[in-house]
Amino acid sequence: MLNSYKEFKSFLETLKDRPTLLLHACCGPCSTHTIALLNNYFDITVYYDNSNIDTLEEFNKRLEELKKVINNFNNVKLIVAPYIPASFYEAVKGDEALGEFSSRCYKCMKLRMKNTYNYALENNYDYYTTTLSISPYKSSKWINEIGYELASSGKVKYLYEREEYNELVE
């Protein structure tokens, strides 16, 4: 695991031949910095998987904003996973009333990251990751725990997410 943003940047410099990256995105604003940074090193496909959003209207609104962000970058592709709120409700069953930083939040992140990992595995991506840790409402520790657990098979590598936002400032 990389312990600082400086180590992460050094790691990026070691990459050869622009590996493929499946980047789970929750929305446009959270994707902007991530895509800007990683687009120099990876062939990126953004994977929009957000069945946790409460209405189809909001799901589509976030998707349109994400498309605007992606259009600012060359060669970034977009995959939109189907909107299936029942999958979210099944994943968080029993924890529906809980808020951020609770077991409901953990289960929701795990669902979306597992979907991303499975898509990456089925489509032969080199790496996968998520923009979720950009949010101050998400636990990077949990995200990394889930990411490494899913990648433990060794078939698709997990691209480490930052532990503290401060590390993103050089």
Side-chain angles (χ1 to χ4, degrees):
M1 180 183 294
L2 303 171
N3 294 312
S4 71
Y5 184 66
K6 194 174 197 176
E7 286 181 34
F8 181 70
K9 288 287 284 184
S10 293
F11 162 74
L12 292 176
E13 296 297 333
T14 69
L15 294 172
K16 307 278 187 244
D17 301 323
R18 292 182 60 85
T20 55
L21 171 67
L22 188 65
L23 174 64
H24 168 263
C26 55
C27 61
C30 288
S31 303
T32 306
H33 175 73
T34 306
I35 294 171
L37 172 67
L38 298 178
N39 196 38
N40 294 322
Y41 304 96
F42 292 92
D43 285 337
I44 299 174
T45 301
V46 174
Y47 186 71
Y48 182 71
D49 179 23
N50 285 310
S51 290
N52 60 306
I53 303 300
D54 64 348
T55 66
L56 181 58
E57 178 182 30
E58 180 65 21
F59 176 90
N60 287 329
K61 179 179 170 185
R62 291 177 186 220
L63 176 58
E64 290 308 310
E65 293 304 311
L66 179 59
K67 286 177 181 178
K68 289 176 187 175
V69 169
I70 290 171
N71 286 335
N72 290 306
F73 298 96
N74 293 328
N75 304 318
V76 175
K77 298 176 224 68
L78 174 65
I79 302 291
V80 180
Y83 177 67
I84 308 171
S87 66
F88 165 72
Y89 291 119
E90 181 61 31
V92 301
K93 192 172 188 174
D95 292 339
E96 299 90 345
L98 300 177
E100 296 291 340
F101 298 108
S102 70
S103 56
R104 179 195 62 119
C105 189
Y106 183 91
K107 290 174 181 179
C108 178
M109 289 187 298
K110 188 165 187 173
L111 170 68
R112 293 187 287 159
M113 289 180 69
K114 185 174 182 181
N115 291 346
T116 306
Y117 173 79
N118 287 338
Y119 189 92
L121 183 63
E122 292 164 9
N123 292 278
N124 300 308
Y125 282 84
D126 299 310
Y127 289 86
Y128 85 104
T129 197
T130 181
T131 64
L132 288 171
S133 71
I134 293 293
S135 171
Y137 302 106
K138 302 294 179 247
S139 166
S140 293
K141 181 179 179 207
W142 286 353
I143 291 166
N144 288 325
E145 177 183 298
I146 295 165
Y148 283 117
E149 176 190 330
L150 292 169
S152 65
S153 70
K155 295 183 174 133
V156 179
K157 297 173 193 157
Y158 173 65
L159 185 64
Y160 170 79
E161 288 282 336
R162 58 97 181 141
E163 287 294 331
E164 295 295 332
Y165 185 76
N166 296 359
E167 292 178 1
L168 292 177
V169 179
E170 294 185 79

